[in-house]
Structures are given as C-alpha cells and as structure tokens.
Amino acid sequence: MTFDWSVVWDHRVALAYGTVTTILLTIATMAIAVPCGMAFAALRLYGAAPVRAFATAYVELFRNLPLILVVYWAFYVLPILTDVGLSPLATGLAALSLNVTAYNAETFRAGINSIRRGQVEAALALGMSRAQALRRIVIPQALRRVLPVLASTWVSLFKDTSLVSVIAVAELAYVSMQIRAQTFRVLEMLTAMAAIYWLLGYPQAKIVDWIQRRYAVSE
Amino acid sequence: MTHLDASTDRPKAAGAKIIRYLDVVKRYGAFTALAGVALDVHAGEVVCLIGPSGSGKSTLLRCTNGLETIDGGDIEFEGAHLARDERGLRAMRQRMGMVFQNFELFPHLTAEQNVAEGPRTVLRTGLEEARRRAAAMLAKVGLADKAANYPSALSGGQQQRVAIARALAMQPDVMLFDEPTSALDPETIGEVLNVMKALADEGMTMVVVTHEMSFARRVGDWVAVFDTGRIVEQGPPHQIFERPTTERTRDFLSHLGWS
C-alpha cells in the first residue's frame, strides 16, 4: 500500500475551515453553557421547590444521556417540537449547550457548596445581606475552585464537538470524513485529523494543568 | 440567681444596659441548648461566658447577632427588641462586631481587603475611606506590615488579629468573641489576648466566650458560668474564681486545675 499525503495539503483550505468551525463551536458552546450553568446552579440552590425540582431534573437528564443521542434528538425531534427548522450548526450548538450546561450547573453548585458556612456567617455578621455575602464572598471563592474543572470541561468539549459531524455540521471531523469519502485516502485523512486535534488539544491540556496549579486553594 | 447589679462588685453597672438576655430559650429539635438564660451587659463591660463545651455559651453569643434564632424569651440590644427581619438584623449586626473561633477571614482577599470589606460593602464608605480605616485597624492590632498578605500567609494568631481588625473597622458598639483563642497554637494565644485586653482598656463593651480562665479573671468585669443551657452562677471574677457559691462552678474550675 502506498500513501499519498498530498491529499492533506490539497484540502488545506477545507481543513482550515473545519478547524476554525470546531474552535468557534467550542467557544460558542462555553459562552452559552457558563452563564446558563450558573443560572441552573442558582435555581437548584436558591429556587422555590418546583423550580429546584425542574432544574435538578434538567441537570440529571442531560448529564446522564450520551451526547450523541442528544445531538440526534436535537436534529430530529427539536424541529418537530418547536416547529423551528435550525441549521445543522445551530442544532449542533444547541445539543452541545444542553449537555455542557448540565455539567457546568453541577460544577458551579458543587463549588458554591464547597464554601463552608462560616464564611457566609462572617459576611452576615458584618451586616451584609445574603445577596452581598454571595456576591462578594461566596461566588469569588467558588469561581476559583471551579475554574480548573471548567477548564477540563473545555478540553473535553473541544474533542466532543466532533460528535456533531453526524448531523453534517462542517467542523473538523465532518470535513475530514468528507475528504476521505471523496478521495478514499482513509489513513491519511484520519491521521491528519488526529494530528490537528492533538496539536490544538495538547496545549489546552497544558493550560488546564497550569490553571490547576495557579488556582490551587490554600487556606 | 444572684443579681449584684447595684453593688460595688459591678462598678460599670451604672452604664446603660447594652444587651439584655431575658430568659432566652433555644432548642435544636429535642435538645434544649438554652433553657432560660438571663444576663445583662452594661456599656464598657467585659462579660466572660465560661463553662464546659456544649453548655450553651456559644449558642447564646450566636443568638445575640441573629446567626441563630431564639425559641423563647427575648434579647434586647440598645433598648430595642432583637430584629427578626433581614433589614433590622443587618442594621443591628453593623453595630456588633463578631470574632469567630476559626477566624473565618475571607481567603480570597488580602488582610487589608478583609478589613476594608465591611466599610466598603456594608457602610458604602468609598474605597479611600475603607482603606484608611483598614490601615488604622491593622495598625491597632499590630499588623500594619501584613496589609498585603493573604490569610494563608499569616499565622493563626495573626489571622485572628486581622479578624478583630475586620470587626473593629465597622466601629461597633459591642464586640462578640466566640472562643477566639481555642483554635490557636499556644504560643500565639498571648498576642490575641493582648489585643483583646487593650480593647477592653479602651472601654469597648465585650462579650467573650472563653476557656482562658486567666483572661476571664484578669480582664473580665463580670463572669457567667454555664452548664447544660443555664447560667449556674454569675458574678465578678473574684467571686467566681475565689469564692464560687455553687458546687457546679467549683467542679468546673477544679477540672481545669483552677483552685
């Protein structure tokens, strides 16, 4: 068997577009899932009983479904339920956001719960309101604790965006598979795809390691 | 119950009653933590609450600024009933400083920021005034040079002194101390007690839950001995430590090797 690596170079523009789409998809998902995750965490911690139950149900549902199932579900069922036809990209973004929001909600909730009660009491004893204690004392500490977790979620998400290729979102995995189908250069394209994911993912993982060291909690 | 308010044994009793505990009851489920506690704290007094662990001293202190609610009786602060609503509680807490056993400094803030936090967030003094107060209070507890340090870079005794400065920055009328030296290494207890003694000498009204009997005796104006949710004896330190009138007080003090 002979290899023809020129196929990778020939399709460099398409691969570059796919790579950029993967990166943008990761950024957009996190941009949605961080505030939404905070909101769901707040609902679970401070909401009235029915709100809390709803938020808990949401988190437990999407945290425990395979992501690829959510992607298919968003693609086939969401348009029927909502009567809105979204582009594959928007559908993929929605599926990823539903999943990562659930994870982030759990991360934020655990982070806030990890701040011991004495901290809130010290804030209240100064005369702060509960909201001030949360904003000035609890949340800043919780954010430091969850930052390393969010960073690992980011790295997982970066790789998991490849799952939306099943609904024809033109990100890196989908583009690579398309080129493979047209050229029959299976090994070359899979290798190129692996190399791109790895070259982008490895530095991110190193940054996560650095964040975990930098924000290690010391009391 | 011995109320010696009018006698010469309580020289500061002429001052206004800042805190009045009126048969305070506190229950946790079936457990009665406070079974009717009556005690007055006058302006400028140092009142020490002593007694075995679990006898209700800390619970009473935590009821004073509303960190715990009471189930019976009443607490008056500066002539008014203890507030139950958040707005009233906040106004009251601003006038009561509290120091915790485990310091509870804010670990994400420097010593200076810890002390400035109350004035900034609660009193809305503005950053300059908050920093000015922080500098003054840190100097007062002898830690002017540690302003930029985070709590994790301070010893236990230093952390507790910052915590005292943090409470003082609100310019409270009363300071509540909840076993302020119980979590400290023996060699740093002295520096905290010295700061508290200096504060008492300035005339600060203080309620101190403590196991430091020598502090209660030297600095206290009035001592209340707790056991199983009750005050079994209260009086001036020389009475409590030299001529205790109840068996329970004698027992407690002898267990501590005091007699």
Side-chain angles (χ1 to χ4, degrees), chain B residues 10 21 101 107 121 159 176 191 210 220 223 230 234:
Chain B
R10 201 169 188 181
Y21 300 97
Q101 182 177 348
T121 303
Q159 289 189 52
L176 311 173
E191 63 192 58
T210 188
V223 178
R230 288 189 167 78
Q234 56 179 303

PDB file of all heavy atoms in Angstrom, chain B residues 10 21 101 107 121 159 176 191 210 220 223 230 234:
ATOM      1  N   ARG B  10     -19.961  45.488  90.883  1.00  0.00           N
ATOM      2  CA  ARG B  10     -20.121  45.663  89.443  1.00  0.00           C
ATOM      3  C   ARG B  10     -20.029  47.158  89.135  1.00  0.00           C
ATOM      4  O   ARG B  10     -21.048  47.812  88.866  1.00  0.00           O
ATOM      5  CB  ARG B  10     -21.452  45.071  89.006  1.00  0.00           C
ATOM      6  CG  ARG B  10     -21.488  44.755  87.520  1.00  0.00           C
ATOM      7  CD  ARG B  10     -22.683  43.920  87.117  1.00  0.00           C
ATOM      8  NE  ARG B  10     -22.551  43.509  85.732  1.00  0.00           N
ATOM      9  CZ  ARG B  10     -23.446  42.778  85.080  1.00  0.00           C
ATOM     10  NH1 ARG B  10     -24.527  42.367  85.698  1.00  0.00           N
ATOM     11  NH2 ARG B  10     -23.247  42.446  83.817  1.00  0.00           N
ATOM     12  N   TYR B  21     -30.325  39.783  78.049  1.00  0.00           N
ATOM     13  CA  TYR B  21     -30.860  38.460  77.728  1.00  0.00           C
ATOM     14  C   TYR B  21     -31.967  38.184  78.723  1.00  0.00           C
ATOM     15  O   TYR B  21     -31.735  38.184  79.942  1.00  0.00           O
ATOM     16  CB  TYR B  21     -29.774  37.388  77.850  1.00  0.00           C
ATOM     17  CG  TYR B  21     -28.593  37.597  76.929  1.00  0.00           C
ATOM     18  CD1 TYR B  21     -27.437  38.224  77.384  1.00  0.00           C
ATOM     19  CD2 TYR B  21     -28.644  37.174  75.600  1.00  0.00           C
ATOM     20  CE1 TYR B  21     -26.353  38.416  76.553  1.00  0.00           C
ATOM     21  CE2 TYR B  21     -27.559  37.369  74.753  1.00  0.00           C
ATOM     22  CZ  TYR B  21     -26.412  37.989  75.238  1.00  0.00           C
ATOM     23  OH  TYR B  21     -25.350  38.186  74.406  1.00  0.00           O
ATOM     24  N   GLN B 101     -14.215  31.489  66.271  1.00  0.00           N
ATOM     25  CA  GLN B 101     -13.167  30.556  66.702  1.00  0.00           C
ATOM     26  C   GLN B 101     -12.189  30.260  65.562  1.00  0.00           C
ATOM     27  O   GLN B 101     -10.980  30.242  65.753  1.00  0.00           O
ATOM     28  CB  GLN B 101     -13.827  29.266  67.190  1.00  0.00           C
ATOM     29  CG  GLN B 101     -12.833  28.252  67.715  1.00  0.00           C
ATOM     30  CD  GLN B 101     -13.542  27.018  68.262  1.00  0.00           C
ATOM     31  OE1 GLN B 101     -14.751  27.005  68.458  1.00  0.00           O
ATOM     32  NE2 GLN B 101     -12.779  25.982  68.519  1.00  0.00           N
ATOM     33  N   PRO B 107     -10.524  34.120  52.405  1.00  0.00           N
ATOM     34  CA  PRO B 107      -9.203  33.696  51.922  1.00  0.00           C
ATOM     35  C   PRO B 107      -8.822  34.292  50.569  1.00  0.00           C
ATOM     36  O   PRO B 107      -7.653  34.294  50.215  1.00  0.00           O
ATOM     37  CB  PRO B 107      -9.347  32.170  51.819  1.00  0.00           C
ATOM     38  CG  PRO B 107     -10.804  31.912  51.730  1.00  0.00           C
ATOM     39  CD  PRO B 107     -11.483  33.007  52.478  1.00  0.00           C
ATOM     40  N   THR B 121     -18.574  47.443  51.569  1.00  0.00           N
ATOM     41  CA  THR B 121     -19.790  46.815  51.069  1.00  0.00           C
ATOM     42  C   THR B 121     -21.015  47.176  51.907  1.00  0.00           C
ATOM     43  O   THR B 121     -22.097  47.367  51.367  1.00  0.00           O
ATOM     44  CB  THR B 121     -19.608  45.286  51.056  1.00  0.00           C
ATOM     45  OG1 THR B 121     -18.464  44.989  50.271  1.00  0.00           O
ATOM     46  CG2 THR B 121     -20.815  44.592  50.475  1.00  0.00           C
ATOM     47  N   GLN B 159      -3.958  35.833  61.941  1.00  0.00           N
ATOM     48  CA  GLN B 159      -5.266  35.785  61.286  1.00  0.00           C
ATOM     49  C   GLN B 159      -6.359  36.268  62.242  1.00  0.00           C
ATOM     50  O   GLN B 159      -7.257  37.020  61.848  1.00  0.00           O
ATOM     51  CB  GLN B 159      -5.584  34.368  60.817  1.00  0.00           C
ATOM     52  CG  GLN B 159      -4.742  33.903  59.647  1.00  0.00           C
ATOM     53  CD  GLN B 159      -5.241  32.580  59.087  1.00  0.00           C
ATOM     54  OE1 GLN B 159      -6.413  32.420  58.772  1.00  0.00           O
ATOM     55  NE2 GLN B 159      -4.359  31.615  58.970  1.00  0.00           N
ATOM     56  N   LEU B 176     -18.372  40.761  70.037  1.00  0.00           N
ATOM     57  CA  LEU B 176     -18.679  39.408  70.485  1.00  0.00           C
ATOM     58  C   LEU B 176     -17.514  38.494  70.098  1.00  0.00           C
ATOM     59  O   LEU B 176     -17.123  38.464  68.931  1.00  0.00           O
ATOM     60  CB  LEU B 176     -19.966  38.898  69.814  1.00  0.00           C
ATOM     61  CG  LEU B 176     -21.191  39.820  69.856  1.00  0.00           C
ATOM     62  CD1 LEU B 176     -22.330  39.234  69.007  1.00  0.00           C
ATOM     63  CD2 LEU B 176     -21.658  40.024  71.295  1.00  0.00           C
ATOM     64  N   GLU B 191      -0.760  36.872  71.981  1.00  0.00           N
ATOM     65  CA  GLU B 191      -0.854  38.088  71.177  1.00  0.00           C
ATOM     66  C   GLU B 191      -2.309  38.484  70.932  1.00  0.00           C
ATOM     67  O   GLU B 191      -2.636  39.674  70.865  1.00  0.00           O
ATOM     68  CB  GLU B 191      -0.108  37.906  69.836  1.00  0.00           C
ATOM     69  CG  GLU B 191      -0.672  36.840  68.926  1.00  0.00           C
ATOM     70  CD  GLU B 191       0.263  36.494  67.753  1.00  0.00           C
ATOM     71  OE1 GLU B 191       1.421  36.089  67.999  1.00  0.00           O
ATOM     72  OE2 GLU B 191      -0.166  36.647  66.610  1.00  0.00           O
ATOM     73  N   THR B 210     -15.048  32.016  76.433  1.00  0.00           N
ATOM     74  CA  THR B 210     -13.631  31.649  76.507  1.00  0.00           C
ATOM     75  C   THR B 210     -13.362  30.487  77.450  1.00  0.00           C
ATOM     76  O   THR B 210     -14.126  30.214  78.367  1.00  0.00           O
ATOM     77  CB  THR B 210     -12.783  32.873  76.945  1.00  0.00           C
ATOM     78  OG1 THR B 210     -11.398  32.539  76.839  1.00  0.00           O
ATOM     79  CG2 THR B 210     -13.098  33.298  78.364  1.00  0.00           C
ATOM     80  N   GLY B 220     -12.009  40.283  82.752  1.00  0.00           N
ATOM     81  CA  GLY B 220     -13.470  40.296  82.853  1.00  0.00           C
ATOM     82  C   GLY B 220     -13.966  41.203  83.979  1.00  0.00           C
ATOM     83  O   GLY B 220     -13.335  41.327  85.022  1.00  0.00           O
ATOM     84  N   VAL B 223     -18.545  37.600  85.164  1.00  0.00           N
ATOM     85  CA  VAL B 223     -18.357  36.252  84.630  1.00  0.00           C
ATOM     86  C   VAL B 223     -19.642  35.458  84.836  1.00  0.00           C
ATOM     87  O   VAL B 223     -20.221  35.484  85.923  1.00  0.00           O
ATOM     88  CB  VAL B 223     -17.183  35.533  85.330  1.00  0.00           C
ATOM     89  CG1 VAL B 223     -17.025  34.108  84.797  1.00  0.00           C
ATOM     90  CG2 VAL B 223     -15.878  36.309  85.145  1.00  0.00           C
ATOM     91  N   ARG B 230     -27.900  26.571  81.081  1.00  0.00           N
ATOM     92  CA  ARG B 230     -28.291  27.537  82.116  1.00  0.00           C
ATOM     93  C   ARG B 230     -27.058  28.274  82.618  1.00  0.00           C
ATOM     94  O   ARG B 230     -25.951  27.759  82.524  1.00  0.00           O
ATOM     95  CB  ARG B 230     -28.923  26.821  83.307  1.00  0.00           C
ATOM     96  CG  ARG B 230     -30.295  26.274  83.024  1.00  0.00           C
ATOM     97  CD  ARG B 230     -30.938  25.790  84.322  1.00  0.00           C
ATOM     98  NE  ARG B 230     -32.358  25.558  84.123  1.00  0.00           N
ATOM     99  CZ  ARG B 230     -32.828  24.471  83.526  1.00  0.00           C
ATOM    100  NH1 ARG B 230     -32.009  23.533  83.095  1.00  0.00           N
ATOM    101  NH2 ARG B 230     -34.125  24.324  83.330  1.00  0.00           N
ATOM    102  N   GLN B 234     -23.370  33.718  88.323  1.00  0.00           N
ATOM    103  CA  GLN B 234     -22.713  34.859  87.693  1.00  0.00           C
ATOM    104  C   GLN B 234     -22.306  35.857  88.755  1.00  0.00           C
ATOM    105  O   GLN B 234     -22.955  35.968  89.790  1.00  0.00           O
ATOM    106  CB  GLN B 234     -23.602  35.510  86.636  1.00  0.00           C
ATOM    107  CG  GLN B 234     -24.970  35.975  87.095  1.00  0.00           C
ATOM    108  CD  GLN B 234     -25.740  36.634  85.950  1.00  0.00           C
ATOM    109  OE1 GLN B 234     -25.286  37.600  85.346  1.00  0.00           O
ATOM    110  NE2 GLN B 234     -26.900  36.087  85.629  1.00  0.00           N
TER     111      GLN B 234
END
